[in-house]
Amino acid sequence: MLTTIIYRSHLREDAPLKALEDMVTAANIKNRRSDVTGILLFNGHHFFQLLEGPEEQVKEIYRCICNDPRHHNIVELMCDYAPARRFGKVGMELFDLQ
Ligand SMILES: Cc1cc2nc3c(=O)[nH]c(=O)nc-3n(C[C@H](O)[C@H](O)[C@H](O)COP(=O)(O)O)c2cc1C
């Protein structure tokens, strides 16, 4: 069953922005391998991410994300089953809103 999780979080003040570029590259590879797709919106302070894919894989990646010290104040906004993917093109597409 396809699952979608949406959350928002805050970048930690001391997290270097360069590390985020590397994180996005690595996340893309890992998501593709896990058949997980989605989008990540970032405005310089806040993240908003949608993850979609097979339930176990989405939850496993989300568990890693929740334990990541580069952000905090993680609030899950939605977790639901989905009939189809909404963002099926890439492992994770970053929208930098700055
Ligand atoms: C805002 C944010 C979004 C992230 N999104 C993903 C993601 O979509 N996929 C992913 O594999 N890792 C993502 N990460 C990185 C994970 O938290 C984690 O570092 C990564 O999965 C590697 O974990 P591992 O070393 O335990 O395999 C994200 C991190 C942050 C801070």
Side-chain angles (χ1 to χ4, degrees), residues 4-7 37-40 48-52 86-87:
T4 304
I5 289 181
I6 301 175
Y7 74 89
T37 51
I39 53 166
L40 176 67
F48 182 94
Q49 188 172 29
L50 179 149
L51 296 163
E52 60 189 3
R86 296 168 177 91
F87 303 96

Side-chain angles (χ1 to χ4, degrees), residues 10-11 21 37 43 45 50 63 68 75 78 87-88 91 95:
H10 292 173
L11 176 71
E21 288 171 26
T37 51
N43 70 357
H45 301 285
L50 179 149
R63 266 193 292 275
D68 195 317
V75 176
M78 195 195 87
F87 303 96
F95 292 89

Side-chain angles (χ1 to χ4, degrees), residues 28-71:
N28 236 308
I29 295 167
K30 190 168 161 186
N31 287 9
R32 276 171 197 266
R33 279 197 196 124
S34 304
D35 198 22
V36 169
T37 51
I39 53 166
L40 176 67
L41 277 57
F42 179 57
N43 70 357
H45 301 285
H46 305 97
F47 294 106
F48 182 94
Q49 188 172 29
L50 179 149
L51 296 163
E52 60 189 3
E55 183 173 12
E56 260 323 296
Q57 281 99 307
V58 168
K59 291 198 166 159
E60 176 55 33
I61 284 179
Y62 183 59
R63 266 193 292 275
C64 293
I65 292 173
C66 287
N67 290 326
D68 195 317
R70 287 171 287 200
H71 63 163

